[in-house]
Amino acid sequence: MAIDDLIQKMEEKRKKLQMGGGEEQIKKQHKLGKLTARERLDLLLDKDSFVENDLWLQNRCMDFDFQNQEFPGEGAAIGYGKVNGRQIFTYSQDFTLMGGSLGEAQGTKLWRIWEQAIRMGVPIVGLNDSGGARIQEGMGALNGYCSLFFQNSVASGWIPQISLVLGPCAGGAVYSPAITDFIVLVEGVSKMFITGPAVIEAVTGEEITVDKLGGVAVHSQKTGVAHFAAQTEAEAFELVRDLLSYLPQNSKERPPIYENSDPAERETPALKELIPVNSALSYNVKEVIKEVVDYGKFLEVHKDFATNIVVGFARMDGHSVGIVANQTKHLAGCLDVNASWKAARFVRFCDAFNIPLLTFVDCPGYLPGVNQEHQGIIRNGAKLLYSFSEATVPKITVVLRKSYGGAYSAMCGKGLGADIVLTVPTAEIAVVGPEAAANLVFKREIEAAKDPADKRAQLVEEYREKFATPYKAAEWGLVDEIIDPTYLRKYLIKYLEVFRDKKEWRPYKKHSNLPL
């Protein structure tokens, strides 16, 4: 047989393997409103940049007559490609082949691509569309998942790991995404749960739909499992491309620097109107963030979960920053269980990948209540304290208004390791708010007064003027500078430049013990 004939035979085999479940299954995938594994890779990656790996790998199962069947591609396309010219590793599960189920061969393909990403020190993006373990392959499937989880944990903190869930992911299929740094869901397409509605009904008698059990709204608003929710698959891939632009390739590198034509000296007089002087009034802290960052562009993470705190990525003079900010529009910006661990996780990610932290503070403290105490606000609140303390990246804190009691510490006060603490004149820094302080400190004077209400109002204002201002904190060296908010952007960029090469020593340890 001539070499050209051999090459033609090879290409025919390759084409068949790349078709997965075949034309009919591909049509079914499209009818479900879903793209195929390879169509998804085309949207994620730069044009013609995908190089496939392990296409020829096949399972070795001898049960259920598998030895006489074909499983083209084994339910996943894996390989390398580029996003905005930067290398990434990726895999895309193929639902057209046995529902994307993971058997021995697919498990091997996935953990091997993860292993290569770890060796090369580049991000990995997983496109998940799998019903879970391929039951017919038994322990081979279970070992595939275990091996994948192991690689996830090794990669954690070394390379960015991003998961898109693009179909019904159940059982073991949800845990690899859960270990990664970011999860992206798509409306009407994504489902995540450990046990499906049928199993739940059989075991507990509870009846529930797939969407109400593990749909996009559940995981983006209630559980916090999802970091991003997109309306379409195309939007999800564009979001991931944007997210990667803020991140370094690995934890030994810094994030990429982008050309910036938004002047570093640009003034922000609008902040004087955006931040009310009256601390009882709420405002949208996202408007404050957008006013100071480059081009007003802010990529929010966990947008619909624990909305009393805001976290996300932006750029300052072309450099990536991570932002944490209290949102007074929700629960007055109080810290609760979910807000605490949401922010803590984000802080730890930024610290792992050399992304400086900007913290905007307007918080009266931890949210009081029996429910919060019983849900573990002590343990969860400690996560945020711990994460800010542990972080060695540049940390700049801006007190916009309230910073009372525990909030002063939890939102990266000076004693928690902030390199610079700035305030604007509207800031109030104290152990407790003036109203609560008056009730405690001046209780006898108020009770003895002829008009207790007037006396109390007078003492509240006196306490506010003397103690709940940025000046007392500045006298103690806990505030570095009090500034006109018109110049906030300029100050932030200057301080970020000053502390860019910050080095901070910590004692040797195998790893820390975060209060999980």
Side-chain angles (χ1 to χ4, degrees):
M1 185 177 286
I3 184 64
D4 286 343
D5 294 328
L6 292 172
I7 291 173
Q8 182 180 350
K9 184 177 180 180
M10 176 192 71
E11 292 301 334
E12 288 172 356
K13 283 178 174 277
R14 183 191 304 279
K15 185 176 180 181
K16 184 175 181 180
L17 289 172
Q18 290 176 336
M19 289 296 289
E23 289 285 358
E24 287 304 312
Q25 290 298 321
I26 289 173
K27 289 178 181 177
K28 286 183 181 180
Q29 181 84 340
H30 287 157
K31 283 182 180 178
L32 291 172
K34 296 162 62 180
L35 300 173
T36 65
R38 294 173 188 279
E39 288 169 342
R40 287 165 172 166
L41 290 171
D42 287 341
L43 281 178
L44 171 66
L45 301 171
D46 295 351
K47 188 176 181 181
D48 298 326
S49 70
F50 181 58
V51 178
E52 189 161 2
N53 217 31
D54 281 336
L55 173 64
W56 308 91
L57 198 65
Q58 292 288 301
N59 76 78
R60 299 175 293 182
C61 182
M62 302 295 288
D63 298 313
F64 300 96
D65 198 37
F66 269 30
Q67 70 273 20
N68 295 316
Q69 300 178 51
E70 293 183 341
F71 302 91
E74 282 295 339
I78 71 167
Y80 338 105
K82 292 186 177 180
V83 171
N84 299 321
R86 301 166 70 209
Q87 188 75 55
I88 72 161
F89 283 62
T90 186
Y91 71 84
S92 183
Q93 289 181 312
D94 186 354
F95 197 77
T96 69
L97 194 287
M98 295 191 74
S101 57
L102 184 143
E104 180 209 9
Q106 186 189 131
T108 299
K109 291 175 75 167
L110 297 192
W111 72 253
R112 276 168 61 166
I113 199 70
W114 231 280
E115 188 177 59
Q116 289 179 344
I118 292 168
R119 287 176 180 170
M120 296 304 296
V122 300
I124 186 160
V125 179
L127 313 184
N128 299 271
D129 191 357
S130 169
R134 191 176 295 173
I135 298 172
Q136 297 91 329
E137 294 194 37
M139 298 309 299
L142 290 182
N143 185 60
Y145 272 127
C146 287
S147 301
L148 180 55
F149 303 155
F150 178 81
Q151 297 296 344
N152 290 145
S153 67
V154 172
S156 183
W158 164 233
I159 56 174
Q161 303 178 82
I162 301 172
S163 298
L164 292 95
V165 174
L166 302 169
C169 284
V174 302
Y175 277 123
S176 176
I179 301 172
T180 61
D181 298 307
F182 298 103
I183 295 176
V184 183
L185 303 186
V186 177
E187 196 67 48
V189 171
S190 308
K191 325 285 180 192
M192 294 180 76
F193 41 76
I194 300 300
T195 54
V199 175
I200 288 176
E201 184 177 0
V203 175
T204 70
E206 299 171 282
E207 294 184 17
I208 192 167
T209 65
V210 170
D211 278 323
K212 288 185 178 179
L213 178 63
V216 175
V218 170
H219 290 308
S220 60
Q221 298 171 24
K222 292 183 179 181
T223 68
V225 167
H227 300 83
F228 300 97
Q231 292 299 308
T232 65
E233 290 194 34
E235 181 185 319
F237 293 121
E238 192 56 41
L239 190 155
V240 170
R241 291 173 64 87
D242 190 24
L243 173 60
L244 285 166
S245 75
Y246 292 95
L247 311 181
Q249 294 292 83
N250 57 62
S251 60
K252 282 190 175 180
E253 298 182 8
R254 288 179 175 174
I257 304 168
Y258 285 78
E259 273 190 39
N260 174 53
S261 58
D262 188 353
E265 302 283 321
R266 173 170 59 80
E267 295 182 357
T268 54
L271 294 182
K272 291 190 286 187
E273 300 299 325
L274 287 173
I275 306 167
V277 174
N278 183 348
S279 61
L281 299 177
S282 66
Y283 60 99
N284 190 346
V285 77
K286 295 179 196 178
E287 294 179 7
V288 174
I289 294 168
K290 290 176 181 179
E291 186 66 23
V292 298
V293 302
D294 291 355
Y295 310 113
K297 185 180 178 186
F298 177 56
L299 178 60
E300 189 173 357
V301 178
H302 265 144
K303 179 181 177 181
D304 299 315
F305 176 72
T307 52
N308 40 320
I309 203 158
V310 172
V311 301
F313 299 104
R315 292 189 183 91
M316 297 293 283
D317 201 26
H319 295 263
S320 292
V321 293
I323 293 175
V324 180
N326 303 115
Q327 176 61 287
T328 64
K329 287 181 65 178
H330 301 276
L331 298 177
C334 280
L335 292 168
D336 62 359
V337 167
N338 286 340
S340 295
W341 74 252
K342 166 183 167 177
R345 178 181 171 88
F346 181 77
V347 167
R348 296 194 93 214
F349 176 86
C350 289
D351 185 49
F353 291 101
N354 309 311
I355 301 171
L357 287 160
L358 296 183
T359 304
F360 294 95
V361 185
D362 191 346
C363 181
Y366 285 95
L367 183 67
V370 174
N371 190 45
Q372 284 292 304
E373 296 291 344
H374 289 182
Q375 285 186 40
I377 188 60
I378 296 172
R379 173 173 46 85
N380 286 282
K383 292 176 184 176
L384 186 53
L385 295 165
Y386 191 98
S387 299
F388 269 128
S389 300
E390 185 184 43
T392 59
V393 292
K395 295 180 286 191
I396 299 175
T397 298
V398 183
V399 182
L400 301 175
R401 287 196 314 188
K402 298 183 289 293
S403 181
Y404 297 154
Y408 169 79
S409 298
M411 295 302 295
C412 202
K414 197 72 171 176
L416 219 62
D419 297 296
I420 291 292
V421 177
L422 301 176
T423 78
V424 292
T426 48
E428 297 180 7
I429 304 174
V431 177
V432 295
E435 289 80 5
N439 290 339
L440 292 169
V441 179
F442 306 117
K443 182 179 178 181
R444 291 181 181 176
E445 293 178 49
I446 292 171
E447 289 176 347
K450 290 183 178 179
D451 189 334
D454 282 351
K455 186 65 175 179
R456 182 180 181 281
Q458 175 196 331
L459 292 172
V460 164
E461 285 309 306
E462 287 179 6
Y463 183 91
R464 188 190 306 276
E465 185 64 29
K466 188 172 183 179
F467 297 106
T469 69
Y471 306 108
K472 182 63 70 172
E475 289 173 15
W476 280 74
L478 304 179
V479 166
D480 294 285
E481 183 60 279
I482 305 165
I483 65 169
D484 180 338
T486 301
Y487 309 110
L488 181 56
R489 173 176 164 84
K490 178 176 74 173
Y491 271 91
L492 290 174
I493 288 174
K494 282 187 175 180
Y495 281 124
L496 285 167
E497 183 180 2
V498 167
F499 288 96
R500 190 160 292 141
D501 296 321
K502 171 189 174 184
K503 299 289 187 296
E504 190 166 320
W505 180 86
R506 294 295 169 92
Y508 168 79
K509 60 186 81 172
K510 185 176 180 181
H511 58 73
S512 60
N513 189 20
L514 175 73
L516 293 171

